[in-house]
C-alpha cells in the first residue's frame, strides 16, 4: 500500500474534494436505500441531496468544534476515503460517514480511517464510541465488527 495520511476535510485546500466525496457518498447511499428499503434521502428528510449535503456538513461534521472532526485519507495526492467523529447528545462519541471511493476499495483504506477515528476519539476523551450503519453496508459492518464494535439498540442522535 502506498503511504497514506490524514488531512482536515474542512481545510480550504481540501474542501472541494470533501464536498465531492460527500456527494458521492450520499448519492451512493441513496441508491442503496432505494434498492433495499424503498426509501430515499429526499423522502426521509424532505430535502434534495444537495440541500442534505449542506445540512450534513453543518450538523453531522461541523467545522471548528472540539467535539467533532472530519478527515480525508490522502494517498498520491488524491483523497481516497473519509470519515469523521462527533459528540452525541449523551456525551458519547460517534463515528460518521466512513466512505472509500469505489475505485480505491479493497486496499484497507476504510480500516485505516476507522483506526484513525478510534485514535482521535480516545484523544478527545470519548469513553464510548457508537456508530450507525445501513443494513446494506455489509462490508462496513464486517470491518466494524473486526475492530471491536458490537450491535446495539438505536441510540439518541443516530
Amino acid at each position: 500500500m502506498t503511504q497514506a495520511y490524514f488531512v482536515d476535510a474542512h481545510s480550504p485546500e481540501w474542501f472541494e474534494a470533501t464536498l465531492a466525496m460527500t456527494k458521492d457518498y450520499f448519492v451512493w447511499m441513496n441508491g442503496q436505500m432505494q434498492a433495499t428499503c424503498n426509501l430515499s434521502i429526499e423522502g426521509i428528510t424532505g430535502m434534495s441531496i444537495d440541500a442534505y449535503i449542506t445540512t450534513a456538513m453543518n450538523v453531522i461534521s461541523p467545522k471548528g468544534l472540539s467535539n467533532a472532526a472530519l478527515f480525508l485519507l490522502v494517498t498520491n495526492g488524491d483523497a481516497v476515503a473519509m470519515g469523521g467523529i462527533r459528540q452525541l447528545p449523551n456525551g458519547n462519541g460517534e463515528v460518521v460517514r466512513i466512505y472509500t471511493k469505489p475505485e480505491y476499495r479493497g486496499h484497507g483504506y476504510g480500516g485505516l480511517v476507522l483506526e484513525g477515528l478510534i485514535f482521535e476519539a480516545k484523544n478527545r476523551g470519548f469513553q464510548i464510541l457508537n456508530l450507525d450503519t445501513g443494513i446494506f453496508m455489509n462490508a462496513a459492518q464486517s470491518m466494524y465488527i473486526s475492530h471491536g464494535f458490537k450491535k446495539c439498540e438505536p441510540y439518541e442522535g443516530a
Side-chain angles (χ1 to χ4, degrees):
M1 182 184 313
T2 308
Q3 183 179 359
Y5 56 94
F6 290 101
V7 297
D8 177 357
H10 291 290
S11 66
E13 62 270 27
W14 290 102
F15 194 68
E16 289 301 317
T18 301
L19 286 177
M21 196 178 304
T22 300
K23 184 168 185 167
D24 290 347
Y25 170 75
F26 282 119
V27 167
W28 172 82
M29 191 170 74
N30 194 52
Q32 295 297 310
M33 289 170 54
Q34 289 172 337
T36 59
C37 308
N38 201 27
L39 297 170
S40 69
I41 289 173
E42 296 93 340
I44 293 169
T45 65
M47 293 183 244
S48 69
I49 288 192
D50 288 334
Y52 186 71
I53 289 167
T54 301
T55 298
M57 293 296 289
N58 292 327
V59 175
I60 296 172
S61 55
K63 178 182 179 179
L65 295 182
S66 62
N67 61 357
L70 182 63
F71 300 101
L72 295 178
L73 184 68
V74 176
T75 184
N76 293 327
D78 294 323
V80 299
M82 70 177 180
I85 56 171
R86 69 176 180 149
Q87 186 172 354
L88 293 167
N90 65 6
N92 292 346
E94 182 183 39
V95 171
V96 295
R97 208 177 315 137
I98 291 182
Y99 178 73
T100 302
K101 289 181 179 179
E103 64 269 29
Y104 293 102
R105 293 180 185 161
H107 299 284
Y109 294 128
L112 285 175
V113 171
L114 182 57
E115 290 163 11
L117 295 175
I118 292 168
F119 179 81
E120 187 69 27
K122 287 179 182 176
N123 283 345
R124 290 173 187 248
F126 292 121
Q127 299 296 309
I128 296 173
L129 193 56
N130 295 103
L131 63 84
D132 183 26
T133 187
I135 61 170
F136 48 83
M137 296 179 176
N138 297 319
Q141 291 170 18
S142 294
M143 179 183 67
Y144 299 142
I145 290 168
S146 74
H147 282 80
F149 286 86
K150 297 181 181 353
K151 289 186 179 184
C152 68
E153 295 298 315
Y155 53 89
E156 182 184 1

